[in-house]
Amino acid sequence: MQPGPNANGSAGGYDIGADQLTSIGEDELEETNPLAIVPDSHPIATPARSRASGLEVVPAAAAPPPAHVEASQVKKEEVETKVTAWQTAEVAKINNRFKREEVVINGWETEQVEKASAWLKKIERKLDEQRAKALEKTQNDIAKARRKAEEKRASAEAKRGLKMAKVLELANFMKAVGRVPTKRSFF
């Protein structure tokens, strides 16, 4: 292409079509992992991105690019573009690997938490069963003690009643006979 007016009417510049802007030697690394995270592609051109893609953001009033471009500068820009692409790919790989490791770690953590919670629930169930058994045993022991105490009270009341009956019978006998009770009793 020769310098001169181009299709969009700018005077004396190179017309660079969008289809001519392909990256040189960049092979995209294809991720086959469905959990892979793809780096964001920002549509807004920054000076670093425009340099990396080979586009130079030039104001309309700026001078047209020189007709002669040095090979060393082209080579330098090509190297910078490849380095930037490699850096972006490596950062994306590192981030993807980190995200996958993070997913694995989070899964392991969740599994451990669920395992510990299940163990705690099992122990709580056993403790509830032991508490229920202990409560039942205690209530049975209390009921047994109350029954025995009632039986002992009844037995003591019966003994008291018998002794009272004997004393009253003896007192009635002594009154009938007219004898005074002695200091020693033989019963």
Side-chain angles (χ1 to χ4, degrees):
M1 220 178 245
Q2 296 294 328
N6 58 16
N8 55 2
S10 63
Y14 288 101
D15 184 20
I16 301 174
D19 54 333
Q20 294 176 349
L21 296 176
T22 58
S23 58
I24 301 171
E26 284 186 32
D27 295 330
E28 287 294 321
L29 295 174
E30 186 83 21
E31 282 283 343
T32 57
N33 186 350
L35 296 176
I37 294 150
V38 180
D40 291 339
S41 59
H42 298 287
I44 301 171
T46 62
R49 284 209 173 98
S50 62
R51 233 182 299 119
S53 65
L55 292 175
E56 194 72 25
V57 179
V58 179
H68 177 267
V69 179
E70 291 185 25
S72 63
Q73 186 171 352
V74 171
K75 184 73 171 169
K76 183 179 177 185
E77 288 179 1
E78 180 182 349
V79 168
E80 285 180 5
T81 303
K82 286 182 179 181
V83 168
T84 303
W86 174 83
Q87 177 184 356
T88 304
E90 288 298 313
V91 167
K93 279 181 7 185
I94 290 169
N95 286 338
N96 290 344
R97 188 174 296 123
F98 172 74
K99 295 285 185 181
R100 286 192 301 266
E101 287 176 5
E102 189 176 28
V103 167
V104 169
I105 291 168
N106 288 341
W108 177 84
E109 179 187 20
T110 302
E111 179 183 332
Q112 294 300 313
V113 167
E114 287 174 357
K115 185 177 175 183
S117 297
W119 179 81
L120 180 63
K121 286 179 183 176
K122 179 181 174 184
I123 295 298
E124 286 176 344
R125 257 192 325 273
K126 285 184 178 179
L127 288 174
D128 287 343
E129 288 173 5
Q130 287 179 346
R131 185 178 185 279
K133 285 180 183 178
L135 184 63
E136 183 180 354
K137 184 180 182 301
T138 303
Q139 287 173 344
N140 289 343
D141 290 346
I142 289 171
K144 189 187 297 183
R146 287 190 174 147
R147 274 195 310 272
K148 282 191 176 184
E150 195 61 39
E151 288 172 5
K152 287 183 179 185
R153 278 192 202 100
S155 175
E157 185 68 31
K159 281 183 185 177
R160 183 179 79 88
L162 282 175
K163 286 187 180 182
M164 292 265 302
K166 282 185 183 180
V167 167
L168 288 175
E169 187 181 320
L170 188 58
N172 287 336
F173 175 73
M174 286 184 192
K175 284 182 188 175
V177 174
R179 261 172 92 195
V180 180
T182 61
K183 292 188 179 184
R184 287 188 209 157
S185 66
F186 293 102
F187 29 29

